[in-house]
Amino acid sequence: MNEPHFTDTDAIDGVIVTSGVRYEDGRGWLMEFFRHDEMDASVHPAMGYLSVTKPGLSRGPHEHREQSDVFCFAGPGTFCIGLWDNREGSATFDARMRLTAGSDAPLIITVPPGVVHGYRCISKEAGLVVNVPNRLYRGEGKRDPIDEIRHEDDPANPFRLDFEAMTAECTR
């Protein structure tokens, strides 16, 4: 099987990356990661969840057929994130992005359907991620099929990213 050729890029069509702004005081800090007046209505959250990823471990790569994810990487922890445009007909089809986000570089990343995404915790501490997707997991009452294509379960998937090399690149 031929290895796919992904073009590295700073932007994938429809992926929105914004810096998180922390407002700090003597109690700690606060950061807005969702405001309906600053976000397209098509990606307004339908639910929200937290996940913790242990150091050196990864989630993904996977993609959604209809769901957009809005991730908040604000810490604790630091992540190396990979995104691949898998949407035929997209202006950035076959493009790949790499980002570092978390404690020292808080980011909010909106990932549209068809953009494959995965991340690895590269800090010595576990990392916290908030996600507020625009679709309910498994739909109302959790009765629908899961809207997810899990490439991480397929060892021959073209979205394998050498997380060791990626981690070295993200920590440069």
Side-chain angles (χ1 to χ4, degrees):
M1 178 175 148
N2 291 336
E3 288 295 311
H5 177 2
F6 293 105
T7 303
D8 289 325
T9 185
D10 292 333
I12 290 177
D13 190 37
V15 172
I16 301 166
V17 179
T18 55
S19 294
V21 177
R22 290 188 182 156
Y23 300 97
E24 298 188 36
D25 63 22
R27 301 167 292 176
W29 57 268
L30 173 145
M31 187 180 93
E32 294 177 345
F33 65 91
F34 165 72
R35 289 182 53 99
H36 74 83
D37 61 337
E38 294 178 352
M39 182 181 275
D40 186 277
S42 68
V43 294
H44 282 181
M47 63 175 285
Y49 66 87
L50 304 169
S51 66
V52 172
T53 304
K54 294 178 180 178
L57 296 183
S58 304
R59 295 185 188 266
H62 71 268
E63 66 184 290
H64 299 282
R65 292 174 185 90
E66 297 180 19
Q67 174 178 302
S68 292
D69 284 324
V70 180
F71 290 106
C72 179
F73 295 91
T78 302
F79 292 88
C80 194
I81 301 133
L83 302 117
W84 302 260
D85 191 345
N86 195 32
R87 301 166 298 168
E88 289 188 25
S90 166
T92 53
F93 177 65
D94 274 345
R96 175 180 59 191
M97 286 176 68
R98 294 183 183 117
L99 300 163
T100 303
S103 296
D104 295 331
L107 292 179
I108 297 101
I109 304 170
T110 302
V111 182
V115 173
V116 178
H117 49 286
Y119 53 83
R120 179 180 187 142
C121 180
I122 60 171
S123 55
K124 292 183 177 148
E125 63 184 328
L128 177 69
V129 178
V130 174
N131 187 13
V132 288
N134 69 338
R135 300 267 196 255
L136 293 173
Y137 176 76
R138 297 193 59 207
E140 289 287 332
K142 298 183 183 176
R143 293 184 297 261
D144 295 340
I146 296 172
D147 174 30
E148 190 172 68
I149 301 166
R150 296 185 60 123
H151 299 290
E152 66 264 42
D153 294 337
D154 177 5
N157 85 75
F159 307 104
R160 289 169 292 136
L161 190 66
D162 179 349
F163 273 114
E164 296 306 318
M166 186 176 171
T167 298
E169 185 172 307
C170 282
T171 55
R172 270 190 232 156

